Amino acid sequence: MAQWGAIFSIIAALGGAALLASVHKIDEGHTGVYYRGGALLTATSGPGFHLMLPFITTYKSVQTTLQTDEVKNVPCGTSGGVMIYFDRIEVVNYLIPSAVYDIVRNFTADYDKALIFNKVHHELNQFCSVHSLQEVYIGLFDQIDENLKLTLQEDLTSMAPGLIIQAVRVTKPNIPESIRRNYELMESEKTKLLISQQTQKVVEKEAETERIKAVIEAEKVAQVAEIKFGQKVMEKETEKKISEIEDNAFLARQKAKADAEFYTALRAAEANKLKLTPEYLQLMKYKAIAANSKIYFGNDIPQMFVDSGSAGSSIKASPALDVISDQVIDLD
């Protein structure tokens, strides 16, 4: 019985070990590929727990989500023979799950070494070999990452469909110290030149601003002068119109006054013409005699006589009346 117990324990231990070896887990964002005796099996598995033949079947988990591969210390020789080094080049990529089997079969589970790391070295050296240090370090540096991305994706599309390059980030390369100092000096001089140009632009802009302000001020003065001149012209025109109105009113008043005087004289003449009758003239004659002469009456004067004042002469009444009548007629 003891022997049977030992055998059963051994069998149970082997079964447990086999069970543990056959159960495996694939994480989310990964795809499992399987090898049996070193040969890649066609079956793949998604995330979760899976079973496989213990001890003779192995698996590898291949990431299919976005990942970043860092290629470090990449040497690069320019067309002028200067050797420079890129400290780090980051390649952001992802693998389509349906393409996992073909890419692993052709480039193993460590496909990124052949398809990304080695390709980055090759393409970057190709770029540097046809460009000068000035172009690589300054002139075309902003285009390196985009050109590298396009070149890698073009090759991967034909070599490994399903591997997508999302972005490429290239750090500034390290160049020899003597050349770096010259570039720094050149950048310093360029900065001074830019500052000088900007200062010149500022001065020109300020001068332009002053000129515009002067033009605006002159236009304002001219407009004010024009407005004032217009106001004076309008005032003079108004005064002229007022003067014309006053002159016309005065002329109308004088004409009305003259017409009234003429009408009065005319009416007076017509009235006098109607009044100058023999009876009226006789009446006026006696009024004149009564106003301008003195008549004396008395017992010692047999007849009436007229005292003419300073002359001191006496005439008879009837001859005196005739003389006075003639004088009145002459006066009329």
Side-chain angles (χ1 to χ4, degrees):
M1 292 296 293
Q3 292 179 349
W4 285 105
I7 295 172
F8 180 76
S9 298
I10 292 172
I11 294 173
L14 291 175
L19 181 61
L20 290 175
S22 63
V23 176
H24 61 283
K25 181 182 71 172
I26 303 298
D27 294 328
E28 186 67 39
H30 293 71
T31 297
V33 294
Y34 299 91
Y35 297 88
R36 184 173 299 162
L40 179 65
L41 301 181
T42 57
T44 59
S45 60
F49 287 100
H50 301 279
L51 293 175
M52 62 181 181
L53 291 177
F55 309 119
I56 61 173
T57 302
T58 58
Y59 79 98
K60 286 187 177 181
S61 181
V62 180
Q63 184 176 352
T64 56
T65 57
L66 205 65
Q67 61 178 336
T68 300
D69 292 324
E70 290 187 358
V71 185
K72 297 182 178 180
N73 197 26
V74 180
C76 182
T78 65
S79 61
V82 179
M83 183 63 68
I84 60 177
Y85 294 87
F86 289 88
D87 282 340
R88 185 175 70 257
I89 300 174
E90 297 178 349
V91 181
V92 183
N93 62 92
Y94 66 92
L95 181 61
I96 298 175
S98 60
V100 170
Y101 173 76
D102 292 331
I103 290 179
V104 172
R105 182 186 61 183
N106 295 325
F107 303 101
T108 73
D110 297 326
Y111 62 88
D112 50 358
K113 181 177 181 180
L115 297 178
I116 294 179
F117 287 83
N118 293 342
K119 288 292 292 181
V120 166
H121 279 264
H122 173 73
E123 296 299 337
L124 197 57
N125 275 275
Q126 287 288 103
F127 179 84
C128 291
S129 64
V130 295
H131 293 93
S132 65
L133 177 61
Q134 168 69 23
E135 292 173 335
V136 175
Y137 191 67
I138 296 176
L140 300 178
F141 178 75
D142 59 338
Q143 302 177 15
I144 293 178
D145 49 0
E146 189 64 26
N147 289 335
L148 191 57
K149 174 190 172 183
L150 294 177
T151 304
L152 288 175
Q153 188 61 67
E154 183 179 354
D155 291 343
L156 292 177
T157 301
S158 59
M159 295 175 55
L163 182 57
I164 308 300
I165 303 298
Q166 184 71 22
V168 175
R169 295 187 290 267
V170 180
T171 59
K172 200 75 171 178
N174 294 324
I175 61 176
E177 184 64 23
S178 59
I179 299 177
R180 187 183 64 80
R181 284 197 299 269
N182 290 335
Y183 274 114
E184 289 178 352
L185 181 61
M186 182 177 66
E187 287 297 320
S188 176
E189 295 298 326
K190 185 184 295 185
T191 302
K192 292 180 181 179
L193 177 61
L194 290 176
I195 292 174
S196 175
Q197 292 175 348
Q198 292 299 322
T199 303
Q200 182 180 357
K201 289 181 180 179
V202 169
V203 173
E204 292 176 354
K205 197 66 177 179
E206 289 178 350
E208 181 68 15
T209 303
E210 291 297 328
R211 186 187 68 81
I212 294 174
K213 287 172 62 178
V215 171
I216 293 174
E217 187 67 24
E219 290 178 351
K220 183 182 72 174
V221 172
Q223 291 175 356
V224 171
E226 184 178 358
I227 292 172
K228 290 183 177 180
F229 176 76
Q231 289 177 346
K232 290 183 179 180
V233 170
M234 292 178 64
E235 290 175 358
K236 294 299 182 182
E237 291 179 351
T238 304
E239 291 176 357
K240 180 181 177 182
K241 290 180 180 179
I242 292 173
S243 178
E244 291 177 353
I245 294 172
E246 291 177 349
D247 293 343
N248 292 332
F250 179 76
L251 180 62
R253 287 195 300 269
Q254 294 298 322
K255 183 177 180 181
K257 183 179 179 181
D259 291 343
E261 292 177 352
F262 174 75
Y263 180 75
T264 301
L266 181 62
R267 298 301 292 174
E270 292 177 354
N272 290 333
K273 185 177 180 181
L274 293 175
K275 290 193 296 183
L276 292 177
T277 60
E279 294 80 3
Y280 180 75
L281 293 176
Q282 189 69 22
L283 175 63
M284 294 301 295
K285 181 178 72 172
Y286 290 120
K287 285 183 177 181
I289 292 172
N292 298 322
S293 301
K294 292 181 180 180
I295 302 173
Y296 297 90
F297 298 91
N299 295 327
D300 293 337
I301 300 173
Q303 292 180 354
M304 181 182 70
F305 70 96
V306 177
D307 186 4
S308 57
S310 61
S313 60
S314 300
I315 59 175
K316 292 183 180 180
S318 58
L321 290 174
D322 292 336
V323 173
I324 293 171
S325 298
D326 293 337
Q327 291 177 353
V328 171
I329 292 171
D330 292 336
L331 292 172
D332 294 334

PDB file of all heavy atoms in Angstrom, residues 247-263:
ATOM      1  N   ASP A 247     -32.552 146.030 -46.394  1.00  0.00           N
ATOM      2  CA  ASP A 247     -32.631 147.059 -47.442  1.00  0.00           C
ATOM      3  C   ASP A 247     -33.986 147.026 -48.141  1.00  0.00           C
ATOM      4  O   ASP A 247     -34.591 148.080 -48.406  1.00  0.00           O
ATOM      5  CB  ASP A 247     -31.503 146.857 -48.461  1.00  0.00           C
ATOM      6  CG  ASP A 247     -30.132 147.129 -47.852  1.00  0.00           C
ATOM      7  OD1 ASP A 247     -30.075 147.765 -46.770  1.00  0.00           O
ATOM      8  OD2 ASP A 247     -29.125 146.684 -48.439  1.00  0.00           O
ATOM      9  N   ASN A 248     -34.430 145.823 -48.458  1.00  0.00           N
ATOM     10  CA  ASN A 248     -35.737 145.705 -49.121  1.00  0.00           C
ATOM     11  C   ASN A 248     -36.852 146.212 -48.206  1.00  0.00           C
ATOM     12  O   ASN A 248     -37.793 146.880 -48.662  1.00  0.00           O
ATOM     13  CB  ASN A 248     -35.993 144.256 -49.518  1.00  0.00           C
ATOM     14  CG  ASN A 248     -35.065 143.787 -50.608  1.00  0.00           C
ATOM     15  OD1 ASN A 248     -34.593 144.597 -51.418  1.00  0.00           O
ATOM     16  ND2 ASN A 248     -34.770 142.487 -50.655  1.00  0.00           N
ATOM     17  N   ALA A 249     -36.718 145.907 -46.891  1.00  0.00           N
ATOM     18  CA  ALA A 249     -37.737 146.374 -45.953  1.00  0.00           C
ATOM     19  C   ALA A 249     -37.712 147.896 -45.837  1.00  0.00           C
ATOM     20  O   ALA A 249     -38.767 148.559 -45.828  1.00  0.00           O
ATOM     21  CB  ALA A 249     -37.522 145.733 -44.584  1.00  0.00           C
ATOM     22  N   PHE A 250     -36.476 148.488 -45.764  1.00  0.00           N
ATOM     23  CA  PHE A 250     -36.374 149.953 -45.687  1.00  0.00           C
ATOM     24  C   PHE A 250     -36.924 150.610 -46.945  1.00  0.00           C
ATOM     25  O   PHE A 250     -37.651 151.620 -46.887  1.00  0.00           O
ATOM     26  CB  PHE A 250     -34.904 150.337 -45.473  1.00  0.00           C
ATOM     27  CG  PHE A 250     -34.668 151.817 -45.413  1.00  0.00           C
ATOM     28  CD1 PHE A 250     -34.995 152.553 -44.283  1.00  0.00           C
ATOM     29  CD2 PHE A 250     -34.144 152.485 -46.518  1.00  0.00           C
ATOM     30  CE1 PHE A 250     -34.785 153.924 -44.246  1.00  0.00           C
ATOM     31  CE2 PHE A 250     -33.936 153.854 -46.473  1.00  0.00           C
ATOM     32  CZ  PHE A 250     -34.254 154.577 -45.334  1.00  0.00           C
ATOM     33  N   LEU A 251     -36.546 150.032 -48.101  1.00  0.00           N
ATOM     34  CA  LEU A 251     -37.050 150.577 -49.366  1.00  0.00           C
ATOM     35  C   LEU A 251     -38.566 150.497 -49.428  1.00  0.00           C
ATOM     36  O   LEU A 251     -39.237 151.447 -49.871  1.00  0.00           O
ATOM     37  CB  LEU A 251     -36.423 149.806 -50.531  1.00  0.00           C
ATOM     38  CG  LEU A 251     -36.838 150.244 -51.935  1.00  0.00           C
ATOM     39  CD1 LEU A 251     -36.414 151.701 -52.181  1.00  0.00           C
ATOM     40  CD2 LEU A 251     -36.212 149.338 -52.994  1.00  0.00           C
ATOM     41  N   ALA A 252     -39.094 149.392 -48.953  1.00  0.00           N
ATOM     42  CA  ALA A 252     -40.548 149.238 -48.954  1.00  0.00           C
ATOM     43  C   ALA A 252     -41.187 150.264 -48.021  1.00  0.00           C
ATOM     44  O   ALA A 252     -42.231 150.855 -48.358  1.00  0.00           O
ATOM     45  CB  ALA A 252     -40.922 147.823 -48.526  1.00  0.00           C
ATOM     46  N   ARG A 253     -40.543 150.512 -46.851  1.00  0.00           N
ATOM     47  CA  ARG A 253     -41.100 151.503 -45.926  1.00  0.00           C
ATOM     48  C   ARG A 253     -41.046 152.911 -46.521  1.00  0.00           C
ATOM     49  O   ARG A 253     -42.017 153.675 -46.432  1.00  0.00           O
ATOM     50  CB  ARG A 253     -40.336 151.465 -44.597  1.00  0.00           C
ATOM     51  CG  ARG A 253     -40.636 150.243 -43.748  1.00  0.00           C
ATOM     52  CD  ARG A 253     -40.145 150.421 -42.319  1.00  0.00           C
ATOM     53  NE  ARG A 253     -38.700 150.648 -42.268  1.00  0.00           N
ATOM     54  CZ  ARG A 253     -37.790 149.705 -42.151  1.00  0.00           C
ATOM     55  NH1 ARG A 253     -38.183 148.431 -42.109  1.00  0.00           N
ATOM     56  NH2 ARG A 253     -36.510 150.002 -42.104  1.00  0.00           N
ATOM     57  N   GLN A 254     -39.900 153.268 -47.120  1.00  0.00           N
ATOM     58  CA  GLN A 254     -39.782 154.585 -47.728  1.00  0.00           C
ATOM     59  C   GLN A 254     -40.752 154.774 -48.882  1.00  0.00           C
ATOM     60  O   GLN A 254     -41.352 155.836 -49.058  1.00  0.00           O
ATOM     61  CB  GLN A 254     -38.331 154.797 -48.214  1.00  0.00           C
ATOM     62  CG  GLN A 254     -37.301 154.863 -47.087  1.00  0.00           C
ATOM     63  CD  GLN A 254     -37.556 156.035 -46.154  1.00  0.00           C
ATOM     64  OE1 GLN A 254     -37.944 157.127 -46.585  1.00  0.00           O
ATOM     65  NE2 GLN A 254     -37.354 155.805 -44.858  1.00  0.00           N
ATOM     66  N   LYS A 255     -40.881 153.697 -49.661  1.00  0.00           N
ATOM     67  CA  LYS A 255     -41.833 153.780 -50.782  1.00  0.00           C
ATOM     68  C   LYS A 255     -43.251 153.952 -50.263  1.00  0.00           C
ATOM     69  O   LYS A 255     -44.038 154.753 -50.791  1.00  0.00           O
ATOM     70  CB  LYS A 255     -41.708 152.524 -51.640  1.00  0.00           C
ATOM     71  CG  LYS A 255     -42.590 152.552 -52.867  1.00  0.00           C
ATOM     72  CD  LYS A 255     -42.365 151.299 -53.709  1.00  0.00           C
ATOM     73  CE  LYS A 255     -43.248 151.330 -54.934  1.00  0.00           C
ATOM     74  NZ  LYS A 255     -43.084 150.121 -55.774  1.00  0.00           N
ATOM     75  N   ALA A 256     -43.578 153.195 -49.207  1.00  0.00           N
ATOM     76  CA  ALA A 256     -44.913 153.320 -48.632  1.00  0.00           C
ATOM     77  C   ALA A 256     -45.134 154.715 -48.055  1.00  0.00           C
ATOM     78  O   ALA A 256     -46.212 155.315 -48.200  1.00  0.00           O
ATOM     79  CB  ALA A 256     -45.102 152.249 -47.557  1.00  0.00           C
ATOM     80  N   LYS A 257     -44.054 155.269 -47.388  1.00  0.00           N
ATOM     81  CA  LYS A 257     -44.165 156.603 -46.823  1.00  0.00           C
ATOM     82  C   LYS A 257     -44.346 157.644 -47.915  1.00  0.00           C
ATOM     83  O   LYS A 257     -45.181 158.567 -47.804  1.00  0.00           O
ATOM     84  CB  LYS A 257     -42.916 156.900 -46.002  1.00  0.00           C
ATOM     85  CG  LYS A 257     -42.945 158.252 -45.296  1.00  0.00           C
ATOM     86  CD  LYS A 257     -41.678 158.439 -44.479  1.00  0.00           C
ATOM     87  CE  LYS A 257     -41.692 159.804 -43.791  1.00  0.00           C
ATOM     88  NZ  LYS A 257     -40.455 160.023 -43.003  1.00  0.00           N
ATOM     89  N   ALA A 258     -43.536 157.524 -48.989  1.00  0.00           N
ATOM     90  CA  ALA A 258     -43.659 158.483 -50.099  1.00  0.00           C
ATOM     91  C   ALA A 258     -45.035 158.393 -50.741  1.00  0.00           C
ATOM     92  O   ALA A 258     -45.659 159.411 -51.077  1.00  0.00           O
ATOM     93  CB  ALA A 258     -42.554 158.213 -51.127  1.00  0.00           C
ATOM     94  N   ASP A 259     -45.494 157.116 -50.945  1.00  0.00           N
ATOM     95  CA  ASP A 259     -46.829 156.941 -51.517  1.00  0.00           C
ATOM     96  C   ASP A 259     -47.887 157.564 -50.619  1.00  0.00           C
ATOM     97  O   ASP A 259     -48.849 158.202 -51.108  1.00  0.00           O
ATOM     98  CB  ASP A 259     -47.106 155.449 -51.729  1.00  0.00           C
ATOM     99  CG  ASP A 259     -46.245 154.862 -52.828  1.00  0.00           C
ATOM    100  OD1 ASP A 259     -45.688 155.641 -53.626  1.00  0.00           O
ATOM    101  OD2 ASP A 259     -46.103 153.602 -52.865  1.00  0.00           O
ATOM    102  N   ALA A 260     -47.699 157.403 -49.292  1.00  0.00           N
ATOM    103  CA  ALA A 260     -48.683 157.977 -48.362  1.00  0.00           C
ATOM    104  C   ALA A 260     -48.658 159.503 -48.418  1.00  0.00           C
ATOM    105  O   ALA A 260     -49.714 160.160 -48.434  1.00  0.00           O
ATOM    106  CB  ALA A 260     -48.400 157.485 -46.945  1.00  0.00           C
ATOM    107  N   GLU A 261     -47.442 160.092 -48.440  1.00  0.00           N
ATOM    108  CA  GLU A 261     -47.341 161.562 -48.521  1.00  0.00           C
ATOM    109  C   GLU A 261     -47.909 162.084 -49.831  1.00  0.00           C
ATOM    110  O   GLU A 261     -48.598 163.115 -49.863  1.00  0.00           O
ATOM    111  CB  GLU A 261     -45.883 161.990 -48.356  1.00  0.00           C
ATOM    112  CG  GLU A 261     -45.327 161.747 -46.949  1.00  0.00           C
ATOM    113  CD  GLU A 261     -43.859 162.112 -46.855  1.00  0.00           C
ATOM    114  OE1 GLU A 261     -43.252 162.405 -47.927  1.00  0.00           O
ATOM    115  OE2 GLU A 261     -43.301 162.094 -45.740  1.00  0.00           O
ATOM    116  N   PHE A 262     -47.568 161.349 -50.911  1.00  0.00           N
ATOM    117  CA  PHE A 262     -48.132 161.771 -52.210  1.00  0.00           C
ATOM    118  C   PHE A 262     -49.652 161.694 -52.198  1.00  0.00           C
ATOM    119  O   PHE A 262     -50.339 162.607 -52.676  1.00  0.00           O
ATOM    120  CB  PHE A 262     -47.561 160.885 -53.321  1.00  0.00           C
ATOM    121  CG  PHE A 262     -48.171 161.119 -54.668  1.00  0.00           C
ATOM    122  CD1 PHE A 262     -47.841 162.258 -55.412  1.00  0.00           C
ATOM    123  CD2 PHE A 262     -49.107 160.239 -55.192  1.00  0.00           C
ATOM    124  CE1 PHE A 262     -48.413 162.462 -56.662  1.00  0.00           C
ATOM    125  CE2 PHE A 262     -49.677 160.458 -56.416  1.00  0.00           C
ATOM    126  CZ  PHE A 262     -49.329 161.568 -57.160  1.00  0.00           C
ATOM    127  N   TYR A 263     -50.136 160.621 -51.623  1.00  0.00           N
ATOM    128  CA  TYR A 263     -51.600 160.477 -51.575  1.00  0.00           C
ATOM    129  C   TYR A 263     -52.213 161.565 -50.705  1.00  0.00           C
ATOM    130  O   TYR A 263     -53.245 162.158 -51.053  1.00  0.00           O
ATOM    131  CB  TYR A 263     -51.936 159.096 -51.019  1.00  0.00           C
ATOM    132  CG  TYR A 263     -53.421 158.825 -50.914  1.00  0.00           C
ATOM    133  CD1 TYR A 263     -54.178 158.539 -52.055  1.00  0.00           C
ATOM    134  CD2 TYR A 263     -54.071 158.892 -49.688  1.00  0.00           C
ATOM    135  CE1 TYR A 263     -55.535 158.311 -51.960  1.00  0.00           C
ATOM    136  CE2 TYR A 263     -55.426 158.655 -49.585  1.00  0.00           C
ATOM    137  CZ  TYR A 263     -56.155 158.360 -50.729  1.00  0.00           C
ATOM    138  OH  TYR A 263     -57.511 158.136 -50.614  1.00  0.00           O
TER     139      TYR A 263
END
